[in-house]
Amino acid sequence: MSINATLFGEFLVFFIVLSIPIFAVISYKIGKRKSTMPRVLAFVGGCLALFPLFALIFIAVLALKKDLPKNSVYAH
């Protein structure tokens, strides 16, 4: 049984392309509570999805950040 490297590469590219909007949406949802610039965080999260390990670390650091105060103008 031979291993098809082209098929593996296509699967890897498909996985990365699929993960870009997923990480961007997760970054945006968390960023709305944690920052005044959730769109920028969504963009950074989407860009880091090209390297899934970095994207996971970014999400973890973002999740550990303190929330904005409830009476803040920027809190949604």
Side-chain angles (χ1 to χ4, degrees):
M1 182 171 164
S2 65
I3 297 173
N4 190 347
T6 304
L7 184 62
F8 178 71
E10 289 175 358
F11 173 75
L12 193 62
V13 168
F14 175 74
F15 174 73
I16 289 174
V17 168
L18 185 67
S19 69
I20 290 172
I22 293 171
F23 280 114
V25 168
I26 292 171
S27 298
Y28 180 77
K29 295 278 186 182
I30 295 175
K32 281 194 331 187
R33 292 183 310 168
K34 309 284 183 172
S35 174
T36 59
M37 303 177 297
R39 290 183 182 155
V40 173
L41 294 176
F43 178 75
V44 171
C47 289
L48 287 176
L50 295 173
F51 306 100
L53 181 62
F54 292 146
L56 289 173
I57 292 170
F58 177 73
I59 296 292
V61 169
L62 191 59
L64 293 174
K65 187 178 175 188
K66 289 188 177 198
D67 288 347
L68 289 176
K70 293 289 183 187
N71 58 0
S72 174
V73 175
Y74 298 107
H76 298 282

